[in-house]
Amino acid sequence: MATRPGPSQSALIPAAELAWRGDQPYSSRFDDIYHAADGPEEVGRVFLGPTDFPDICRRRATSEKAATQRVLVGELGFGSGLNFMVAAGECLRAGCRLHFISFEAAPIRPAEFQLLAGKRGGRHPLYRELASQYPPLIRGWHRRSLAEGRIVLSTFWGYAAAGLADIVERQQNPVDVWFLDGFAPDRNPGMWAPELFLQMAALSTRGTRVATFTAAGKVRRGLEAAGFQMQRVDQRPHKRESLSGIFADSPSGKGEKQAGGLKSQLSIPSQVRVAGAGLAGASAARQLAEAGIAVQVYDAAARETPGAPEHAQIDGSKPRPGSRLDATVLHARLLADGSPAATLRCHSFLFAAAFLARFPNIRRSGVLQLPGPGQGIDRLEAIADAYQASGSWLQMVDRAKARDLTRWPVESGGLWFGNGGVVDTPALCRSLLDHPRIEVIPEHIHPPLDATPLILACAAECRSFASAGYLEIAAVQGQLDLVALPELPSAPIVGNGYLAPAGALLVAGATYEYQPWDPERATEQNMHQLGQRPFQWRRRIRGTRAVSSDRLPVAGRLYDIDQAPVSGQLVSTGHGSMGNVTSHYAGAVVSAQLLGDFPPLTTTLEAALSPLRFRQRQARRGYRHGTRA
């Protein structure tokens, strides 16, 4: 049998071996319960009470900078998510924000989490919201925003030691409280290794609290060796005792991060400016606004009335606020080669699908990807082999099923993205910008610039700013055509171009023009997708994409010629044809960096997207692609 191209299951993580004892989840692998029968109460007496968690929440909610303050919790062992749910409920009642960071080497399967959420959603409504966005079994970081952004959950699917090591140099804000909730040390020793306690110490500051269900002597001694002052907590009659403690200092007593301990929390800006009101700028602005930061978005195209008809005539010469594309597709052309691009496409699609779940401007019809140039049926099958066992978000379907799903006479099977769909892009931009902390200013932002942080999210125009002139970004034109047909597919179909239903019309696109084509030539190419079907041509939409020299997005801090960060200036651009997917992920990168948090991607992928990569290449081989120092 021929071997399919691409790596295999390296992106997947093994699932928990979950069993049920009545209504209680149980680990068959570790022969241990996830929690006691009175789970929420146990969380209170083992974790919240001994760490003074309710008082920490109240203090944050009433502080002078309450709008941007939050409680930061680190947890070893996400399990069934109960600790997170109880802590989130406490924060919401107190009126403070929460960022909950958790590590899990064997996550519960998405379908089983749905069942669990159904059992617990009555008492903890966030279970249902998380169940609709629960990460599939894909290794690495997954970030989810709940309760309209007041609750942020960052999970690392993988070994805790690897996840902690990945953020220890990037997380600038100290953890307030640690919950250690792995299975019993004698059954799961890897979760209680001394190296993990040292990594916890490196992410803590004087006064950071810790609590753990176990009272094992080696756990207490390991935490004390890492700088935590520990004490036993009487848990009778439920069990004999547990442990709690407080971080005093690094073992060396120097308080340095590498030795153990962050000195203080980063000063979070109260205001940020964004240049550009398209998807990249609107998404970054929204994520910052939900973190409590006031945002000014500059875009000259916003002079048009935001309430203009959503399907107004567009002839390519008249600007439109945020986006000029009536209908685009939420879909990622996945890869199965283990490259940074493959990781980016997978994780950014999963992030975008979850982040946009609460916005009404996406019709979740699903998306069918057919074989196309560079991705024949064998490569689609390799992608399915690599990902579809992680959850129901991706399936390989045969021709009959593909026709049934799309109601369109496709000629082959393909990949079905169940949580993809059609995006009303201008309306989505307006929804993202519709927040009381966001002000849209209908003009360009001009130098000189003051000390207020600035995010450049204006596509290839970013290079007009002196600090971003070195970015290897170019504008590539493209065209969509809108036509009327007797019958439309029920879902977008992508392959060699794409077809997407948009109201009563069908969008066909999109051309990729390194040099501008004659619009009639572009229309002819787009119409080729319709074969011999009769249609009535209605209009065309022309626009540009910003594309980087290595085809990866550009997201993060800008750097000067000496490869030092430019203070307060960041960028989100180069999204090419995948703006619906990567722009939201890039927004998470730049907002996290401004907030002093690690972005929801590995150190390796963050470096692959960083503007620093161009400075490093230019130091070796000089300036290309029209760049300047």
Side-chain angles (χ1 to χ4, degrees):
M1 179 180 294
T3 302
R4 292 172 181 163
S8 50
Q9 314 293 327
S10 60
L12 303 186
I13 185 169
E17 297 175 11
L18 185 68
W20 290 88
R21 293 188 171 181
D23 281 340
Q24 296 306 114
Y26 178 85
S27 171
S28 300
R29 176 183 175 187
F30 293 105
D31 191 24
D32 202 355
I33 57 173
Y34 277 87
H35 52 71
D38 63 341
E41 289 72 27
E42 182 184 57
V43 174
R45 62 179 177 260
V46 173
F47 295 109
L48 304 194
T51 59
D52 294 327
F53 189 82
D55 188 53
I56 293 172
C57 294
R58 284 191 292 271
R59 292 201 306 271
R60 293 291 160 83
T62 56
S63 68
E64 292 183 3
K65 297 183 178 181
T68 57
Q69 294 294 299
R70 69 268 170 84
V71 179
L72 186 61
V73 174
E75 179 190 52
L76 305 189
F78 184 73
S80 67
L82 185 60
N83 294 341
F84 164 67
M85 292 296 166
V86 176
E90 189 69 40
C91 286
L92 290 174
R93 284 189 292 273
C96 71
R97 301 176 186 278
L98 171 68
H99 184 187
F100 196 97
I101 305 167
S102 190
F103 305 84
E104 179 58 66
I108 292 175
R109 289 181 177 86
E112 293 175 325
F113 194 86
Q114 290 275 358
L115 176 63
L116 190 148
K119 294 175 178 286
R120 296 176 172 176
R123 182 169 180 180
H124 303 284
L126 276 184
Y127 258 118
R128 294 196 182 101
E129 187 176 356
L130 178 57
S132 68
Q133 307 177 35
Y134 184 77
L137 302 177
I138 303 291
R139 294 182 183 276
W141 286 107
H142 302 272
R143 183 162 293 171
R144 299 293 182 260
S145 180
L146 308 173
E148 298 185 340
R150 299 195 65 83
I151 305 297
V152 175
L153 171 65
S154 296
T155 56
F156 182 80
W157 286 171
Y159 290 114
L164 287 165
D166 189 56
I167 66 172
V168 75
E169 292 299 325
R170 298 188 292 159
Q171 178 64 27
Q172 299 181 60
N173 299 312
V175 172
D176 294 299
V177 178
W178 288 100
F179 297 159
L180 307 189
D181 200 22
F183 293 110
D186 58 337
R187 302 178 189 185
N188 187 21
M191 188 65 86
W192 306 94
E195 307 85 75
L196 270 67
F197 303 148
L198 290 173
Q199 290 171 322
M200 287 168 47
L203 291 162
S204 301
T205 191
R206 187 182 294 274
T208 293
R209 304 299 185 97
V210 63
T212 174
F213 180 85
T214 184
K218 65 177 182 180
V219 172
R220 175 178 53 80
R221 292 187 294 272
L223 287 165
E224 289 175 341
F228 292 91
Q229 295 178 348
M230 302 302 297
Q231 63 181 11
R232 296 179 176 87
V233 179
D234 189 345
Q235 291 290 346
R236 293 174 294 186
H238 307 282
K239 59 171 293 187
R240 183 175 179 182
E241 57 191 22
S242 63
L243 293 174
S244 71
I246 188 168
F247 187 71
D249 210 340
S250 63
S252 64
K254 297 178 181 178
E256 298 174 353
K257 183 173 180 178
Q258 282 284 55
L262 290 161
K263 291 183 177 179
S264 61
Q265 184 160 324
L266 179 80
S267 177
I268 297 174
S270 59
Q271 186 177 55
V272 171
R273 294 176 300 183
V274 176
L279 281 176
S283 188
R286 182 62 179 236
Q287 294 182 62
L288 287 167
E290 291 185 347
I293 295 175
V295 186
Q296 292 179 320
V297 179
Y298 290 78
D299 195 320
R303 291 192 184 98
E304 289 197 40
T305 305
E310 293 182 2
H311 297 286
Q313 178 72 30
I314 298 176
D315 59 9
S317 62
K318 185 179 180 183
R320 190 173 189 180
S323 173
R324 40 180 23 177
L325 304 180
D326 284 24
T328 53
V329 180
L330 179 61
H331 160 263
R333 291 185 182 271
L334 298 175
L335 301 171
D337 58 7
S339 65
T343 303
L344 169 71
R345 294 183 187 194
C346 175
H347 279 267
S348 59
F349 174 76
L350 294 172
F351 179 89
F355 174 69
L356 297 175
R358 54 196 161 97
F359 294 96
N361 316 110
I362 302 173
R363 187 168 70 84
R364 300 279 180 165
S365 57
V367 175
L368 176 68
Q369 180 180 345
L370 297 174
Q375 283 197 320
I377 193 68
D378 57 342
R379 290 192 178 274
L380 297 189
E381 290 172 343
I383 291 168
D385 285 346
Y387 292 115
Q388 71 176 355
S390 67
S392 60
W393 65 282
L394 181 69
Q395 303 174 52
M396 189 74 192
V397 297
D398 60 20
R399 185 177 72 165
K401 182 66 173 178
R403 289 185 169 194
D404 181 58
L405 289 168
T406 61
R407 299 177 190 171
W408 193 255
V410 297
E411 296 302 323
S412 74
L415 289 173
W416 177 253
F417 294 75
N419 54 359
V422 183
V423 181
D424 184 337
T425 323
L428 175 59
C429 289
R430 292 194 292 272
S431 292
L432 289 167
L433 294 169
D434 184 16
H435 191 281
R437 290 192 180 90
I438 297 177
E439 177 188 8
V440 179
I441 300 174
E443 60 186 53
H444 291 297
I445 187 169
H446 298 289
L449 304 173
D450 59 28
T452 304
L454 171 66
I455 298 171
L456 301 179
C458 44
E461 292 182 15
C462 291
R463 284 177 50 176
S464 65
F465 292 80
S467 59
Y470 71 96
L471 297 179
E472 297 178 4
I473 299 292
V476 176
Q477 291 201 15
Q479 179 174 307
L480 302 177
D481 286 85
L482 282 76
V483 300
L485 292 172
E487 294 184 2
L488 302 181
S490 60
I493 300 167
V494 302
N496 187 10
Y498 72 84
L499 301 173
L505 300 178
L506 183 70
V507 174
T511 60
Y512 212 86
E513 309 168 18
Y514 289 99
Q515 295 294 328
W517 295 1
D518 178 86
E520 293 298 333
R521 175 192 171 193
T523 294
E524 182 179 354
Q525 175 166 310
N526 286 334
M527 295 302 95
H528 183 72
Q529 299 180 71
L530 298 177
Q532 301 301 313
R533 293 178 183 86
F535 63 87
Q536 292 181 322
W537 184 88
R538 293 296 176 83
R539 66 180 187 267
R540 63 176 58 96
I541 304 172
R542 292 192 62 81
T544 59
R545 314 169 179 88
V547 181
S548 71
S549 60
D550 58 10
R551 299 300 186 269
L552 290 176
V554 187
R557 298 180 180 89
L558 287 165
Y559 289 81
D560 64 23
I561 196 169
D562 297 318
Q563 301 185 24
V566 178
S567 179
Q569 293 197 30
L570 304 92
V571 67
S572 171
T573 187
H575 300 291
S577 301
M578 294 182 60
N580 267 332
V581 172
T582 59
S583 62
H584 308 293
Y585 205 40
V589 171
V590 295
S591 59
Q593 290 178 349
L594 283 169
L595 293 170
D597 287 338
F598 67 95
L601 69 176
T602 62
T603 305
T604 300
L605 188 54
E606 184 179 7
L609 304 186
S610 171
L612 180 60
R613 71 190 195 260
F614 300 118
R615 288 294 194 195
Q616 293 170 336
R617 292 168 192 168
Q618 290 155 1
R620 297 192 303 267
R621 44 86 162 151
Y623 293 91
R624 299 179 183 175
H625 310 287
T627 57
R628 63 185 187 277

